[in-house]
Amino acid sequence: MELETTTPEETEAAGAELAARLAPGDVVFVTGELGSGKTTFVRGAARALGVKGPVTSPTFTIGHVLPGRPEIAHVDLYRLPSLAGEDPALLDDYLTPERVAFVEWPQAAEPRLDRVAARVRLEHLGGDRRRITIEV
C-alpha cells in the first residue's frame, strides 16, 4: 500500500491505521531519511494502541517501552551500523511476545529479527508532504 500525507496528523493517522492490524509479538520496521516522519508515524500507531504520554525518538537510549494495550516497544538503531560486537541480548528486553515493537533504522538488526508484521518506508516530498509505503 502506498499513500501520501500532507500534514503530521495525516502521517499519525496512517500509523494508527496500521496499528489496528497488529498483535502482540509483531515487529514493524520503519525506515526513511532523517526528518522523514518515522517517529510521527510511530506516535500515531502508539496513540491508537493506548499510549497517552509522550512518544519521542529513543535515538540516544536504543529504546523506550510505552504503556499501551499491549505495551509498545519503540526502538531506534540509528547509532548502530551493525549489531556485530553488541550484546546478543541487546534487543531482548524490547522485542517480546507481549509487546508490539516499532524499530526505526532496522537495517542493523534485520537479519536477527523475525515476526516482522510490516515494513514501513517514509519519504520526504517537501514541506509536510510524505510518501508512505507499507508492506504487510
Side-chain angles (χ1 to χ4, degrees), residues 1 16 31 33 75 115 122 128 131:
M1 171 172 78
T31 62
E33 296 176 354
V75 177
R115 192 143 188 216
L122 291 102
D128 286 337
R131 178 178 299 119

Side-chain angles (χ1 to χ4, degrees), residues 15-33:
E17 184 177 323
L18 175 62
R21 295 184 262 169
L22 299 174
D26 284 346
V27 176
V28 178
F29 287 168
V30 185
T31 62
E33 296 176 354

Side-chain angles (χ1 to χ4, degrees), residues 23-116:
D26 284 346
V27 176
V28 178
F29 287 168
V30 185
T31 62
E33 296 176 354
L34 286 171
S36 62
K38 294 180 297 298
T39 299
T40 301
F41 183 89
V42 172
R43 183 179 305 114
R47 293 277 181 259
L49 293 170
V51 174
K52 304 279 188 234
V55 178
T56 58
S57 178
T59 300
F60 298 103
T61 61
I62 299 296
H64 297 147
V65 174
L66 306 168
R69 299 174 312 271
E71 280 187 331
I72 310 300
H74 184 193
V75 177
D76 187 323
L77 300 178
Y78 177 72
R79 302 214 175 273
L80 296 177
S82 163
L83 292 183
E86 297 293 334
D87 180 345
L90 176 71
L91 300 176
D92 290 354
D93 288 339
Y94 299 104
L95 309 180
T96 69
E98 298 81 27
R99 295 184 177 129
V100 170
F102 294 89
V103 182
E104 295 187 32
W105 304 96
Q107 295 83 347
E110 189 165 2
R112 295 169 67 183
L113 298 181
D114 50 358
R115 192 143 188 216
V116 177

